[in-house]
Amino acid sequence: MRKKVIAGNWKMNMLPNEAISFITELEKKVKNTQNEVILCVPYTDLFYCLLTAQGTNIKIGAQNMHWEKNGAYTGEISGEMLKTIGVEYVIIGHSERRQYFAETDETVNKKVKAAFSYGLKPIVCVGETLEEREAGKAQEIITTQTKLALEGLTQEQVNHIIIAYEPIWAIGTGKTATAHDANEAIKQIREKVEELYGKEVAQQVIIQYGGSVKPSNAKELFETSDIDGALVGGASLKVEDFEKIVNYNQ
Ligand code: PGA
Protein backbone atom coordinates (compact mmCIF):
# COMPACT_ATOMS: atom_id res chain seq x y z
CA MET A 1 0.00 0.00 0.00
CA ARG A 2 1.42 3.36 -1.00
CA LYS A 3 1.30 6.19 1.51
CA LYS A 4 -0.47 9.46 0.81
CA VAL A 5 2.03 12.27 0.66
CA ILE A 6 0.69 15.80 1.03
CA ALA A 7 3.22 18.51 0.25
CA GLY A 8 2.58 22.23 0.54
CA ASN A 9 4.34 24.52 -1.89
CA TRP A 10 4.40 28.01 -0.39
CA LYS A 11 6.03 29.48 -3.51
CA MET A 12 7.21 33.08 -2.82
CA ASN A 13 5.05 33.58 0.27
CA MET A 14 5.43 33.61 4.04
CA LEU A 15 7.87 35.57 6.20
CA PRO A 16 9.74 33.73 8.96
CA ASN A 17 7.33 34.82 11.74
CA GLU A 18 4.36 33.66 9.65
CA ALA A 19 6.11 30.39 8.87
CA ILE A 20 6.82 29.72 12.56
CA SER A 21 3.20 30.38 13.60
CA PHE A 22 1.94 28.25 10.72
CA ILE A 23 3.98 25.21 11.72
CA THR A 24 3.26 25.66 15.43
CA GLU A 25 -0.46 25.62 14.69
CA LEU A 26 -0.36 22.92 12.01
CA GLU A 27 1.68 20.55 14.11
CA LYS A 28 -1.13 20.15 16.66
CA LYS A 29 -3.66 19.38 13.95
CA VAL A 30 -1.71 16.82 11.94
CA LYS A 31 0.15 14.96 14.65
CA ASN A 32 -2.10 11.89 14.42
CA THR A 33 -2.15 11.51 10.65
CA GLN A 34 -0.74 8.45 8.90
CA ASN A 35 -0.19 10.59 5.82
CA GLU A 36 3.16 12.15 5.12
CA VAL A 37 3.24 15.93 5.55
CA ILE A 38 5.82 18.10 3.81
CA LEU A 39 6.13 21.87 3.54
CA CYS A 40 8.29 23.26 0.74
CA VAL A 41 9.18 26.76 1.83
CA PRO A 42 11.25 29.72 0.58
CA TYR A 43 14.98 29.51 1.30
CA THR A 44 14.75 32.31 3.85
CA ASP A 45 12.23 30.30 5.91
CA LEU A 46 14.06 26.99 5.80
CA PHE A 47 16.07 27.30 8.97
CA TYR A 48 13.15 28.64 11.02
CA CYS A 49 10.88 25.90 9.69
CA LEU A 50 13.40 23.15 10.38
CA LEU A 51 13.78 24.32 13.98
CA THR A 52 10.03 24.72 14.52
CA ALA A 53 9.24 21.35 12.93
CA GLN A 54 11.85 19.46 14.95
CA GLY A 55 10.30 16.50 16.77
CA THR A 56 7.04 16.76 14.76
CA ASN A 57 5.84 14.71 11.78
CA ILE A 58 6.19 17.70 9.44
CA LYS A 59 9.04 17.39 6.95
CA ILE A 60 10.65 20.39 5.31
CA GLY A 61 11.57 20.85 1.66
CA ALA A 62 13.01 23.55 -0.59
CA GLN A 63 11.47 24.65 -3.89
CA ASN A 64 14.53 24.51 -6.13
CA MET A 65 18.29 23.91 -6.10
CA HIS A 66 21.29 24.14 -8.41
CA TRP A 67 22.91 20.95 -9.70
CA GLU A 68 26.49 22.03 -8.95
CA LYS A 69 27.95 21.52 -5.51
CA ASN A 70 29.34 25.06 -5.25
CA GLY A 71 31.00 27.71 -7.40
CA ALA A 72 30.44 30.98 -9.20
CA TYR A 73 26.65 30.82 -9.54
CA THR A 74 25.47 34.05 -7.95
CA GLY A 75 22.11 33.73 -6.29
CA GLU A 76 21.95 29.94 -6.43
CA ILE A 77 21.66 27.36 -3.64
CA SER A 78 23.14 23.87 -3.90
CA GLY A 79 21.82 20.50 -2.79
CA GLU A 80 24.72 20.22 -0.37
CA MET A 81 23.70 23.50 1.28
CA LEU A 82 20.14 22.25 1.71
CA LYS A 83 21.14 18.86 3.04
CA THR A 84 23.64 20.33 5.49
CA ILE A 85 20.97 22.33 7.33
CA GLY A 86 18.62 19.33 7.48
CA VAL A 87 16.31 19.78 4.50
CA GLU A 88 14.85 16.45 3.28
CA TYR A 89 12.91 17.25 0.12
CA VAL A 90 13.28 19.54 -2.86
CA ILE A 91 10.80 20.41 -5.59
CA ILE A 92 12.39 20.19 -9.02
CA GLY A 93 11.05 21.38 -12.35
CA HIS A 94 7.92 23.10 -11.12
CA SER A 95 6.08 24.50 -14.13
CA GLU A 96 6.63 28.06 -12.86
CA ARG A 97 10.36 27.42 -12.97
CA ARG A 98 10.11 25.85 -16.41
CA GLN A 99 8.01 28.79 -17.59
CA TYR A 100 9.71 31.81 -15.94
CA PHE A 101 13.23 30.62 -15.21
CA ALA A 102 14.14 28.62 -18.29
CA GLU A 103 14.20 25.20 -16.65
CA THR A 104 14.43 22.47 -19.26
CA ASP A 105 14.06 18.71 -19.13
CA GLU A 106 17.85 18.60 -19.19
CA THR A 107 18.35 20.89 -16.16
CA VAL A 108 15.56 19.06 -14.36
CA ASN A 109 17.39 15.77 -14.86
CA LYS A 110 20.70 17.28 -13.68
CA LYS A 111 19.02 18.63 -10.56
CA VAL A 112 17.28 15.33 -9.81
CA LYS A 113 20.59 13.47 -10.00
CA ALA A 114 22.33 16.10 -7.87
CA ALA A 115 19.53 15.96 -5.28
CA PHE A 116 20.01 12.21 -4.89
CA SER A 117 23.76 12.59 -4.65
CA TYR A 118 23.23 14.71 -1.52
CA GLY A 119 20.57 12.45 -0.04
CA LEU A 120 17.67 14.80 -0.80
CA LYS A 121 14.36 13.41 -2.04
CA PRO A 122 13.21 15.17 -5.19
CA ILE A 123 9.59 16.02 -5.92
CA VAL A 124 9.69 16.24 -9.70
CA CYS A 125 6.89 18.09 -11.48
CA VAL A 126 5.52 17.22 -14.89
CA GLY A 127 2.44 18.51 -16.67
CA GLU A 128 0.96 19.73 -19.91
CA THR A 129 -0.31 23.15 -20.95
CA LEU A 130 -3.92 23.73 -22.00
CA GLU A 131 -2.91 23.96 -25.69
CA GLU A 132 -1.06 20.67 -25.43
CA ARG A 133 -4.06 19.03 -23.79
CA GLU A 134 -6.46 20.40 -26.40
CA ALA A 135 -4.18 19.19 -29.18
CA GLY A 136 -4.38 15.66 -27.73
CA LYS A 137 -0.72 15.72 -26.72
CA ALA A 138 -1.04 15.51 -22.94
CA GLN A 139 -0.02 11.88 -22.65
CA GLU A 140 2.99 12.31 -24.90
CA ILE A 141 4.16 15.42 -23.00
CA ILE A 142 3.87 13.98 -19.51
CA THR A 143 5.40 10.61 -20.34
CA THR A 144 8.28 12.27 -22.19
CA GLN A 145 8.90 14.70 -19.32
CA THR A 146 8.87 11.75 -16.92
CA LYS A 147 11.32 9.74 -19.01
CA LEU A 148 13.73 12.67 -19.37
CA ALA A 149 13.54 13.59 -15.68
CA LEU A 150 14.39 10.02 -14.65
CA GLU A 151 17.11 9.44 -17.23
CA GLY A 152 20.17 7.74 -15.76
CA LEU A 153 18.62 7.11 -12.33
CA THR A 154 18.95 3.76 -10.61
CA GLN A 155 15.98 1.65 -9.57
CA GLU A 156 16.77 2.40 -5.96
CA GLN A 157 16.63 6.15 -6.65
CA VAL A 158 13.32 5.91 -8.49
CA ASN A 159 11.94 4.06 -5.47
CA HIS A 160 12.49 7.25 -3.49
CA ILE A 161 11.41 9.87 -5.96
CA ILE A 162 8.09 11.67 -5.80
CA ILE A 163 6.51 12.66 -9.10
CA ALA A 164 3.91 15.41 -9.10
CA TYR A 165 1.54 15.51 -12.04
CA GLU A 166 0.50 19.14 -12.34
CA PRO A 167 -1.48 20.11 -15.44
CA ILE A 168 -0.40 23.71 -15.95
CA TRP A 169 -3.92 24.89 -16.71
CA ALA A 170 -5.01 23.77 -13.24
CA ILE A 171 -2.33 25.57 -11.25
CA GLY A 172 -3.60 28.58 -9.34
CA THR A 173 -6.62 28.85 -11.62
CA GLY A 174 -9.25 27.21 -9.43
CA LYS A 175 -9.75 24.65 -12.22
CA THR A 176 -9.00 21.17 -10.95
CA ALA A 177 -8.61 18.23 -13.29
CA THR A 178 -11.46 15.83 -12.56
CA ALA A 179 -10.44 13.02 -10.25
CA HIS A 180 -10.96 10.63 -13.16
CA ASP A 181 -8.76 12.60 -15.60
CA ALA A 182 -6.02 13.19 -13.02
CA ASN A 183 -6.04 9.51 -12.13
CA GLU A 184 -5.81 8.50 -15.81
CA ALA A 185 -2.84 10.82 -16.38
CA ILE A 186 -1.12 9.46 -13.30
CA LYS A 187 -1.71 5.90 -14.50
CA GLN A 188 0.04 6.83 -17.75
CA ILE A 189 3.01 8.15 -15.78
CA ARG A 190 3.06 4.95 -13.71
CA GLU A 191 3.01 2.87 -16.90
CA LYS A 192 5.99 4.84 -18.18
CA VAL A 193 7.84 4.14 -14.93
CA GLU A 194 6.96 0.46 -15.31
CA GLU A 195 8.29 0.40 -18.86
CA LEU A 196 11.57 1.94 -17.66
CA TYR A 197 12.04 0.37 -14.22
CA GLY A 198 9.68 -2.58 -13.93
CA LYS A 199 6.42 -3.29 -12.18
CA GLU A 200 7.69 -3.35 -8.62
CA VAL A 201 9.16 0.15 -8.79
CA ALA A 202 6.08 1.46 -10.64
CA GLN A 203 3.77 0.09 -7.98
CA GLN A 204 5.81 1.73 -5.26
CA VAL A 205 6.61 5.15 -6.69
CA ILE A 206 4.60 8.02 -5.19
CA ILE A 207 2.78 10.10 -7.82
CA GLN A 208 0.93 13.16 -6.58
CA TYR A 209 -1.60 15.37 -8.27
CA GLY A 210 -1.24 19.16 -8.13
CA GLY A 211 -3.41 22.02 -9.38
CA SER A 212 -6.08 23.77 -7.28
CA VAL A 213 -6.29 21.02 -4.67
CA LYS A 214 -8.47 22.23 -1.79
CA PRO A 215 -10.39 20.77 1.14
CA SER A 216 -13.50 20.30 -1.03
CA ASN A 217 -11.84 18.14 -3.70
CA ALA A 218 -9.00 16.39 -1.84
CA LYS A 219 -10.96 13.33 -0.73
CA GLU A 220 -12.31 12.55 -4.17
CA LEU A 221 -8.86 12.88 -5.72
CA PHE A 222 -7.15 10.79 -3.04
CA GLU A 223 -9.68 7.98 -3.20
CA THR A 224 -8.78 7.09 -6.77
CA SER A 225 -6.57 4.11 -7.56
CA ASP A 226 -3.37 5.93 -8.49
CA ILE A 227 -3.25 9.41 -6.94
CA ASP A 228 -0.91 9.22 -3.96
CA GLY A 229 -1.46 12.65 -2.46
CA ALA A 230 -0.97 16.20 -3.63
CA LEU A 231 1.34 19.11 -4.18
CA VAL A 232 -0.72 21.98 -2.83
CA GLY A 233 -0.05 25.64 -3.66
CA GLY A 234 -2.67 28.23 -2.65
CA ALA A 235 -4.42 26.05 -0.10
CA SER A 236 -1.14 25.36 1.70
CA LEU A 237 -0.97 28.98 2.86
CA LYS A 238 -3.84 28.64 5.32
CA VAL A 239 -3.52 26.21 8.22
CA GLU A 240 -7.25 25.43 8.23
CA ASP A 241 -7.26 24.49 4.55
CA PHE A 242 -4.01 22.58 4.50
CA GLU A 243 -4.89 20.69 7.66
CA LYS A 244 -8.18 19.56 6.12
CA ILE A 245 -6.40 18.26 3.04
CA VAL A 246 -3.91 16.33 5.18
CA ASN A 247 -6.74 14.99 7.36
CA TYR A 248 -9.05 14.19 4.43
CA ASN A 249 -9.49 10.64 5.75
CA GLN A 250 -10.33 11.44 9.37
P1 PGA B 1 -2.22 25.53 -6.68
O1 PGA B 1 -0.66 25.30 -7.01
O2 PGA B 1 -2.59 24.50 -5.65
O3 PGA B 1 -2.28 26.94 -6.14
O4 PGA B 1 -2.96 25.36 -7.94
C1 PGA B 1 -0.14 24.01 -7.12
C2 PGA B 1 1.33 24.08 -7.42
O5 PGA B 1 1.75 24.98 -8.17
O6 PGA B 1 2.12 23.25 -6.94
Side-chain angles (χ1 to χ4, degrees):
M1 246 309 250
R2 293 184 301 267
K3 244 187 166 183
K4 297 288 184 221
V5 180
I6 324 291
N9 172 13
W10 283 354
K11 308 192 180 184
M12 198 171 72
N13 295 291
M14 297 285 227
L15 298 173
N17 60 334
E18 297 168 318
I20 293 168
S21 331
F22 187 102
I23 293 178
T24 309
E25 219 182 304
L26 180 70
E27 184 260 312
K28 295 179 220 142
K29 298 183 166 156
V30 301
K31 63 173 185 243
N32 295 322
T33 185
Q34 298 303 309
N35 306 325
E36 192 155 329
V37 187
I38 306 169
L39 287 173
C40 296
V41 309
Y43 293 133
T44 44
D45 289 338
L46 280 172
F47 203 66
Y48 299 97
C49 290
L50 286 161
L51 287 179
T52 314
Q54 233 167 40
T56 75
N57 57 346
I58 301 170
K59 312 268 174 64
I60 302 300
Q63 300 171 7
N64 179 36
M65 58 172 268
H66 196 277
W67 59 86
E68 291 290 350
K69 183 178 181 193
N70 50 34
Y73 301 100
T74 302
E76 291 292 325
I77 299 284
S78 76
E80 186 182 48
M81 291 168 172
L82 297 175
K83 184 64 185 179
T84 303
I85 62 165
V87 172
E88 278 185 66
Y89 291 87
V90 58
I91 299 176
I92 293 179
H94 189 279
S95 63
E96 285 151 16
R97 298 222 45 98
R98 293 180 190 252
Q99 198 179 344
Y100 308 133
F101 301 97
E103 290 263 359
T104 63
D105 289 323
E106 195 193 341
T107 60
V108 168
N109 180 247
K110 281 187 182 178
K111 290 180 180 194
V112 169
K113 285 183 182 151
F116 276 122
S117 76
Y118 295 111
L120 294 162
K121 292 179 203 150
I123 303 175
V124 185
C125 303
V126 300
E128 80 285 359
T129 62
L130 187 58
E131 299 82 74
E132 288 162 347
R133 167 155 288 254
E134 284 171 350
K137 290 193 186 146
Q139 177 170 1
E140 184 194 326
I141 297 288
I142 60 180
T143 55
T144 304
Q145 284 179 348
T146 302
K147 175 172 176 282
L148 295 174
L150 303 186
E151 207 156 78
L153 297 186
T154 65
Q155 231 176 29
E156 177 59 16
Q157 288 171 327
V158 180
N159 274 334
H160 293 105
I161 209 166
I162 297 176
I163 300 173
Y165 166 61
E166 300 207 302
I168 294 167
W169 48 270
I171 296 179
T173 57
K175 282 187 209 154
T176 321
T178 64
H180 176 266
D181 287 354
N183 194 47
E184 286 307 304
I186 286 177
K187 273 191 198 163
Q188 290 160 1
I189 295 171
R190 206 177 292 288
E191 276 162 24
K192 186 45 116 184
V193 175
E194 179 168 343
E195 187 189 312
L196 299 167
Y197 290 93
K199 201 175 176 75
E200 208 177 307
V201 176
Q203 281 313 310
Q204 177 166 323
V205 69
I206 298 291
I207 312 182
Q208 301 171 315
Y209 167 75
S212 300
V213 175
K214 39 195 179 237
S216 59
N217 59 23
K219 192 170 162 62
E220 193 191 355
L221 288 161
F222 298 166
E223 282 179 351
T224 55
S225 63
D226 279 68
I227 302 180
D228 302 326
L231 185 56
V232 185
S236 73
L237 296 171
K238 286 196 191 134
V239 175
E240 61 272 27
D241 286 349
F242 191 62
E243 170 265 312
K244 286 195 189 101
I245 297 172
V246 171
N247 292 324
Y248 78 96
N249 53 348
Q250 282 187 14

